Amino acid sequence: MNQSDIKNNTNKANSSSTENTFLIKNVRPMGGSSTDVLVREGVIQQIAPNITDPEGDIIIYEGHDNLLLPGLVNAHAHVDKNLLGVPWHRNEVPATGIEDMISYSRTVWKKLGLSSRVQSIRQVRASIAVGITHIRSHVDVQPELGAQHFEDVLKTREEYKDAIKIQLVAFPQLGILSTPGTLDMMEEALRQGVECVGGIDPSSRDRDPAGSLDAIFDLANRFDKEIDIHLHEPGPLGAFSVELIAERTRALGMQGRVTISHAFCLGMVNDTYLSKLIGLLLDNHITIQSAGTGGTPLPPIKKLVEAGVSVCIGTDGVRDIWSGLNSVDMLDRIKMLGYRCRFKRDDDFEMLLGLATTGGARVMGDQNYGFEEGKHADFIVLPGGHPKEVIVDQPKRTYVFKQGKLVAADGECLISE
């Protein structure tokens, strides 16, 4: 697609009073046959070849037989604490474990005098530019920070609500019981509009697995919120936490409303124990999220998907203090996961793309997501003919639409700062 096409159509869209009504011609959804897409008032009205504009006055985009993908979903981010737009900070993170890594990141954040408001805006804008239409972000909740982080990200969410859907998790990075005052701050975050209750390593962080999980589930139950728990605990210890989470999910009738993020332990237990845990995940409709980072064993993504477990993926922290290696682009995340899983076949990468689209939208509860007639027009057009091709090449997104609104073009976010 040439630059004049992009510029002309962008100008038309930005000046149109019906910017979320348009016809895009000659695109190839998921690399399939060429077709046209008619969008009216932000909703996909028709998908078919050779659609003509019945009224003769709507914007027409030419797709040039390029690839169309559903909007990408980052189901695990930390938009409040990245280093995007910040001069390179020399990384000297300790290699002695997560406790020291957390302490190091807090020290660096203070030293650099960073703003969660500024950094969250930077990550949201970068996400829009690469075709991410949905983000679930964990936001730090701890007494030392006060309400600053979640209040800042709530403002960012409101400012960009027409360009990207953001769902927030109140994340007790330092533990929900081990740091006095955290529970009160969690309650305040939930009252202000944060959608999910977070948690972290109930045994190794809070040193009280039953008490930690009871507190998390009590909050979720009282405030009618979902749950998303960071679980880094290895092997049998982490697996025990999975069992405890499943027990509480069943007891409180929270099936389908609980996510376990990272869940390294699922890649560290024997097949017999894994089968038992998969049964618990299925019975209680618990979602597993994986980011694929680090050298820790991953949950067996393909085995989980084939068993019917709900799975989604995300970037985790991007350009972060811990490593700085993670990119905001979900296509890059898919490539990394494919590499770590030793995938080679195109269908395995197509599976991962499904987890970065419909899998993520499912965990965020978006019933209007999906590339089909009657759903919201959340999709991207990019140079290439096949999903794995763009995963490998990661070209600039030619067009990004959110509910029919053109929010990015040629790799640039179009939303005014």
Side-chain angles (χ1 to χ4, degrees):
M1 198 169 293
N2 61 49
Q3 295 297 311
S4 62
D5 283 342
I6 295 170
K7 184 176 180 181
N8 290 338
N9 284 324
T10 300
N11 290 339
K12 288 178 185 177
N14 289 339
S15 63
S16 173
S17 60
T18 55
E19 61 180 9
N20 60 355
T21 295
F22 62 90
L23 173 63
I24 185 163
K25 299 189 69 66
N26 304 312
V27 287
R28 299 176 58 215
M30 296 297 288
S33 300
S34 184
T35 192
D36 301 344
V37 184
L38 178 62
V39 173
R40 287 199 178 279
E41 298 183 355
V43 174
I44 300 171
Q45 185 178 77
Q46 185 180 8
I47 303 170
N50 305 314
I51 299 174
T52 58
D53 175 11
E55 299 174 7
D57 62 351
I58 66 173
I59 299 168
I60 298 178
Y61 297 89
E62 173 53 56
H64 297 290
D65 273 343
N66 280 321
L67 190 67
L68 182 149
L69 299 178
L72 297 169
V73 181
N74 184 351
H76 187 105
H78 292 268
V79 302
D80 59 322
K81 50 183 186 180
N82 60 75
L83 297 181
L84 294 170
V86 176
W88 188 260
H89 176 76
R90 183 175 180 82
N91 189 305
E92 295 177 331
V93 63
T96 49
I98 191 169
E99 186 74 32
D100 289 334
M101 293 167 70
I102 291 172
S103 176
Y104 173 79
S105 66
R106 292 164 64 202
T107 299
V108 171
W109 186 271
K110 291 178 185 177
K111 178 181 176 181
L112 296 178
L114 298 176
S115 160
S116 50
R117 174 79 166 126
V118 171
Q119 297 310 124
S120 62
I121 288 174
R122 286 173 174 169
Q123 182 160 343
V124 165
R125 293 183 63 82
S127 299
I128 293 168
V130 295
I132 294 173
T133 57
H134 297 63
I135 296 176
R136 173 180 276 192
S137 179
H138 299 254
V139 181
D140 274 20
V141 173
Q142 50 185 276
E144 183 181 353
L145 297 174
Q148 192 69 53
H149 277 234
F150 67 80
E151 288 182 346
D152 281 349
V153 180
L154 284 167
K155 291 175 185 175
T156 298
R157 178 173 73 178
E158 177 64 21
E159 183 177 348
Y160 287 88
K161 65 182 180 182
D162 294 331
I164 191 167
K165 179 181 177 63
I166 301 175
Q167 187 181 80
L168 301 179
V169 183
F171 177 46
Q173 172 86 81
L174 302 181
I176 198 164
L177 298 182
S178 55
T179 307
T182 300
L183 266 176
D184 291 338
M185 292 203 62
M186 294 279 286
E187 290 194 10
E188 180 58 25
L190 299 175
R191 288 192 187 97
Q192 290 200 30
V194 171
E195 291 94 337
C196 304
V197 180
I200 185 170
D201 300 330
S203 295
S204 57
R205 166 60 58 178
D206 275 327
R207 315 293 289 182
D208 181 0
S212 178
L213 292 175
D214 284 347
I216 291 166
F217 277 84
D218 175 64
L219 281 175
N221 190 42
R222 285 193 289 120
F223 286 88
D224 191 25
K225 304 289 186 176
E226 297 198 7
I227 290 173
D228 192 328
I229 300 174
H230 279 61
L231 187 63
H232 310 96
E233 294 168 350
L237 180 62
F240 177 61
S241 291
V242 172
E243 292 191 48
L244 294 180
I245 291 168
E247 286 178 3
R248 284 157 177 77
T249 301
R250 181 174 58 255
L252 291 173
M254 291 196 63
Q255 293 88 342
R257 305 190 69 193
V258 176
T259 298
I260 302 175
S261 287
H262 303 313
F264 303 133
C265 60
L266 297 180
M268 305 169 76
V269 296
N270 63 45
D271 288 345
T272 300
Y273 198 177
L274 177 62
S275 295
K276 174 185 177 181
L277 295 174
I278 287 175
L280 291 174
L281 297 174
L282 290 171
D283 289 345
N284 294 285
H285 305 288
I286 294 172
T287 296
I288 296 297
Q289 182 280 331
S290 181
T293 51
T296 309
L298 302 181
I301 292 173
K302 186 173 181 179
K303 184 175 288 189
L304 293 174
V305 171
E306 290 176 342
V309 175
S310 173
V311 179
C312 60
I313 61 178
T315 60
D316 209 358
V318 303
R319 184 73 185 274
D320 59 354
I321 296 170
W322 285 16
S323 74
L325 296 177
N326 291 351
S327 161
V328 74
D329 192 348
M330 285 300 296
L331 295 184
D332 185 57
R333 177 60 32 183
I334 293 169
K335 185 176 181 179
M336 179 183 290
L337 272 166
Y339 180 80
R340 288 217 57 201
C341 293
R342 299 184 179 182
F343 288 161
K344 297 177 177 62
R345 293 173 54 89
D346 287 4
D347 52 5
D348 287 333
F349 282 87
E350 290 164 1
M351 174 199 71
L352 290 176
L353 180 59
L355 304 184
T357 51
T358 55
R362 186 184 306 115
V363 77
M364 288 183 64
D366 190 343
Q367 301 297 317
N368 291 307
Y369 177 92
F371 187 71
E372 57 186 84
E373 294 174 2
K375 300 293 188 181
H376 285 163
D378 294 351
F379 55 79
I380 61 181
V381 177
L382 64 174
H386 190 275
K388 188 177 176 183
E389 179 185 359
V390 297
I391 290 167
V392 171
D393 293 342
Q394 298 165 32
K396 286 183 179 180
R397 316 301 109 106
T398 307
Y399 295 126
V400 179
F401 296 97
K402 176 61 181 172
Q403 288 188 227
K405 180 177 181 179
L406 183 66
V407 294
D410 196 28
E412 297 292 332
C413 178
L414 300 178
I415 307 303
S416 299
E417 294 188 65

